[in-house]
């Protein structure tokens, strides 16, 4: 009576049933400005990775795996990241604004295969990020994933079309992106 494969493995992540939608925590422009000013303890570049994510919407799993070979130029001097999203396995191209580029560490003589950010495990990163945010005066529970929510809500608050934000985040369905629009409406 046993089956060989789990049938739920054949369902796309965004098609799986989900529980009741919770609130999406995100940072305001003022919160991000506080974090930019506040130093973060440690020898890695977690602060830069978090702020990079605030301007790109990339997940921790993707930021932690980015290599210098993932950063390309479109031929007109506009940098972008070309990578496979770890969570959903799809190819994604994300153009980098000047603010995102500012948080890339210096490459130096690092090869294309070397990782860009030196990061701790996600659980440890989230603890440090929350302590850092509290020191900066941010009165919210902040995890690395809040950076992704921040990118989405800031873009929508700047009246970037929802279709563009959806593509930027790599969402397969616009309904996923509409959650961020509802969050802004409630704010």
């Amino acid at each position: 009576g046993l089956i060989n494969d789990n049938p739920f493995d054949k369902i796309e992540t965004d098609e799986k049933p989900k529980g009741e939608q919770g609130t999406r925590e995100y940072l305001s422009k003022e919160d991000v400005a506080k974090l930019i000013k506040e130093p973060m303890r440690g020898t890695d570049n977690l602060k830069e990775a978090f702020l990079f994510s605030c301007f790109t919407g990339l997940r921790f799993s993707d930021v932690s795996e980015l290599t210098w070979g993932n950063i390309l130029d479109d031929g007109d001097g506009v940098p972008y990241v070309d990578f496979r999203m770890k969570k959903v396995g799809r190819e994604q191209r994300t153009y980098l604004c000047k603010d995102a580029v500012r948080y890339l560490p210096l490459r130096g003589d690092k090869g294309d295969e070397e990782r860009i950010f030196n990061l701790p495990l996600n659980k440890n990163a989230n603890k440090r990020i929350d302590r850092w945010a509290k020191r900066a005066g941010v009165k919210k529970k902040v995890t690395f994933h809040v950076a992704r929510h921040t990118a989405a809500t800031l873009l929508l608050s700047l009246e970037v079309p929802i279709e563009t934000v959806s593509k930027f985040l790599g969402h397969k369905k616009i309904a996923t992106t509409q959650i961020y629009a509802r969050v802004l409406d409630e704010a």
Side-chain angles (χ1 to χ4, degrees):
L2 297 176
I3 56 174
N4 293 327
D5 298 317
N6 182 345
F8 288 103
D9 290 343
K10 296 177 181 159
I11 300 173
E12 292 289 326
T13 302
D14 58 349
E15 294 175 352
K16 291 180 182 176
K18 304 218 178 359
E20 188 177 319
Q21 287 293 333
T23 59
R24 299 260 196 259
E25 194 71 76
Y26 65 95
L27 301 173
S28 66
K29 286 188 251 184
E30 295 77 20
D31 292 333
V32 174
K34 289 177 184 178
L35 292 176
I36 289 169
K37 290 179 185 173
E38 182 69 28
M40 181 184 266
R41 299 173 185 136
T43 58
D44 53 25
N45 46 17
L46 179 57
K47 175 181 177 174
E48 290 77 11
F50 180 85
L51 293 170
F52 179 81
S53 182
C54 284
F55 294 109
T56 62
L58 271 62
R59 295 175 182 92
F60 179 87
S61 58
D62 297 324
V63 171
S64 65
E65 303 238 341
L66 280 182
T67 65
W68 287 106
N70 295 120
I71 306 285
L72 303 166
D73 183 294
D74 72 351
D76 290 326
V78 180
Y80 65 91
V81 181
D82 208 11
F83 66 103
R84 178 176 294 277
M85 290 185 292
K86 189 168 183 170
K87 181 178 178 183
V88 294
R90 285 192 309 273
E91 292 294 323
Q92 175 75 8
R93 175 176 289 186
T94 300
Y95 283 88
L96 302 178
C97 66
K98 291 176 184 161
D99 287 314
V101 171
R102 181 172 45 184
Y103 294 104
L104 288 171
L106 294 175
R107 181 173 180 167
D109 59 355
K110 295 184 176 130
D112 282 352
E113 71 291 338
E114 291 188 59
R115 289 198 177 150
I116 295 172
F117 295 103
N118 171 33
L119 299 176
L121 295 175
N122 194 12
K123 181 179 176 181
N124 296 333
N126 285 334
K127 287 178 185 175
R128 287 183 47 211
I129 288 168
D130 195 50
R131 285 193 305 260
W132 169 56
K134 297 293 181 271
R135 282 194 315 274
V138 176
K139 298 181 184 336
K140 300 173 182 173
K141 172 80 172 142
V142 183
T143 65
F144 201 97
H145 205 68
V146 168
R148 181 170 171 83
H149 299 314
T150 299
T153 53
L154 289 179
L155 287 170
L156 289 169
S157 72
L158 293 170
E159 299 183 3
V160 173
I162 197 163
E163 298 83 4
T164 303
V165 176
S166 185
K167 185 171 177 134
F168 182 77
L169 294 173
H171 290 160
K172 200 172 181 182
K173 295 181 181 177
I174 205 128
T176 307
T177 314
Q178 287 172 333
I179 293 167
Y180 298 102
R182 283 195 297 275
V183 166
L184 273 178
D185 289 343
E186 293 168 6

